[in-house]
Amino acid sequence: MSTIAEFRLPAEDTVLAATFDRAPEATIRFESSVSRSIPGLWIDGVDRETIEAGLDADPTVDAAELLVASDEGLLYDVTFPDDARAIFELLLADGGALLEARATNGWWAVRMRFRDRDDLCETHERLLEHGVNADVRRVTDLTETTAAHSRLTPEQQEALSAAFEQGYFEIPRGISMEELAGELGISHQALSERLRRAYETLVDEELQPSNDQVNSR
């Protein structure tokens, strides 16, 4: 049974710790892509001069080339040295698939899919053996029924789960929108949009059976 696991990894045990020392307010995420090489890095929350000074001083970065500068952030093609690339090999050695990797405040939040929990456990043990303090935050087993009936995207599911667990829906709220966005490593606007779209999907799913009954009469 396929398994989704969410890890929390310190940058000091993996990559870009020195970059966060220079630019602690930065949010860094891997670009979603299909490629034989390590994807580029989207960086926001910091100006170009500051982040490039951090990347230049970072021993886990061999080179960084700016590809795109937009409202979404700065996209860099980053070349990592062999010892830094070994971290990614540890994650993927047991056939795991990297779904998302995002870093803020010196910590990486990583979502991966494994064929089963045994592969997840082997990956976790390997990370610990190599000195990576990998903290498994959440594990979800995927079934065909779950996959077939869920219309929420992984990002929407993550946002809703985090909002529920952190008390965002409680009265009074246990966490603000800004704080929750910081926990997820995304902007306030991005979180608001994810929650809005998730609400629309859930409401549509809830009302659709009633509408079908009405239309069938």
Side-chain angles (χ1 to χ4, degrees):
M1 179 183 297
S2 294
T3 298
I4 300 292
E6 298 179 15
F7 293 92
R8 192 167 183 259
L9 310 174
E12 62 183 2
D13 292 348
T14 52
V15 293
L16 302 182
T19 298
F20 278 109
D21 287 341
R22 295 287 189 96
E25 69 279 19
T27 295
I28 302 175
R29 62 179 174 85
F30 280 101
E31 180 188 32
S32 298
S33 66
V34 178
S35 172
R36 291 181 179 271
S37 61
I38 296 175
L41 297 179
W42 277 103
I43 303 174
D44 60 21
V46 65
D47 62 81
R48 178 179 176 180
E49 181 179 357
T50 300
I51 195 61
E52 291 188 354
L55 292 170
D56 288 343
D58 200 315
T60 64
V61 174
D62 273 347
E65 178 186 358
L66 181 65
L67 301 179
V68 175
S70 69
D71 293 339
E72 188 175 354
L74 304 171
L75 174 62
Y76 286 89
D77 183 11
V78 176
T79 302
F80 294 97
D82 289 343
D83 56 344
R85 292 176 64 91
I87 299 298
F88 304 103
E89 295 173 1
L90 293 176
L91 285 169
L92 303 176
D94 291 304
L98 183 63
L99 303 179
E100 183 178 12
R102 182 185 300 270
T104 185
N105 297 324
W107 288 87
W108 284 96
V110 177
R111 293 180 67 251
M112 296 191 63
R113 183 177 62 248
F114 296 90
R115 287 168 295 193
D116 51 44
R117 291 204 176 203
D118 288 340
D119 286 349
L120 163 60
C121 291
E122 290 180 11
T123 297
H124 184 241
E125 290 175 3
R126 183 181 297 105
L127 288 169
L128 296 178
E129 289 172 357
H130 285 78
V132 179
N133 185 24
D135 179 18
V136 179
R137 308 300 297 272
R138 185 179 303 159
V139 177
T140 305
D141 290 326
L142 297 181
T143 64
E144 291 183 1
T145 300
T146 300
H149 289 83
S150 177
R151 291 168 51 197
L152 295 175
T153 67
E155 293 79 13
Q156 291 167 2
Q157 291 175 336
E158 178 188 38
L160 281 176
S161 296
F164 180 78
E165 293 174 0
Q166 298 287 345
Y168 178 75
F169 300 117
E170 296 177 1
I171 301 175
R173 285 178 173 168
I175 190 171
S176 68
M177 177 77 76
E178 291 79 6
E179 292 169 333
L180 183 58
E183 290 280 340
L184 294 172
I186 60 179
S187 68
H188 173 279
Q189 181 179 357
L191 175 58
S192 177
E193 182 67 13
R194 286 185 190 179
L195 290 177
R196 184 184 67 79
R197 291 185 179 276
Y199 298 156
E200 289 179 352
T201 298
L202 293 176
V203 170
D204 180 67
E205 288 181 346
E206 182 65 23
L207 296 180
Q208 190 63 44
S210 297
N211 291 339
D212 289 344
Q213 292 177 6
V214 171
N215 292 333
S216 65
R217 290 177 182 176

